[in-house]
Amino acid sequence: MSFLDDAQAFLKQKQSQKETPASDFLETPESRQALEKELRELYENATWNEIAKAIDWGMEVMEKPYDKKTFLQKIRIKLED
């Protein structure tokens, strides 16, 4: 492939990502479990119970659909020491 072909493939990929609807962030139990595991790795001192309470609090405070970046910033207050 030439440079031009690579660039066109990259642009098509980016455009398809924009057309994809919002992710199912916290829409399924599996996505919640994945978030809990991710938060456990980020906040090693937080217990599973604290993480679950922070997620529940974030879901109460924010409106659906949840934006992952904003959601993580919001619950960070509850999980940091």
Side-chain angles (χ1 to χ4, degrees):
M1 285 183 130
S2 70
F3 176 75
L4 183 58
D5 293 335
D6 289 340
Q8 287 176 341
F10 177 77
L11 288 175
K12 284 182 183 179
Q13 178 186 12
K14 287 297 181 183
Q15 288 174 348
S16 68
Q17 288 176 353
K18 288 181 184 177
E19 294 170 359
T20 307
S23 66
D24 62 337
F25 181 69
L26 290 179
E27 295 294 323
T28 62
E30 293 82 18
S31 64
R32 183 183 170 114
Q33 290 174 346
L35 177 63
E36 288 176 353
K37 288 178 184 177
E38 180 181 340
L39 291 173
R40 181 64 178 177
E41 292 174 6
L42 288 173
Y43 303 100
E44 295 172 351
N45 291 335
T47 63
W48 289 106
N49 193 24
E50 291 171 335
I51 291 171
K53 285 182 180 180
I55 292 172
D56 291 339
W57 177 80
M59 292 173 77
E60 289 175 9
V61 173
M62 294 184 67
E63 294 180 10
K64 285 188 177 182
Y66 306 113
D67 177 49
K68 185 174 182 177
K69 182 178 178 183
T70 308
F71 189 86
L72 293 177
Q73 289 175 346
K74 194 77 144 176
I75 66 171
R76 188 179 93 204
I77 321 164
K78 299 283 184 183
L79 296 174
E80 287 184 340
D81 289 333

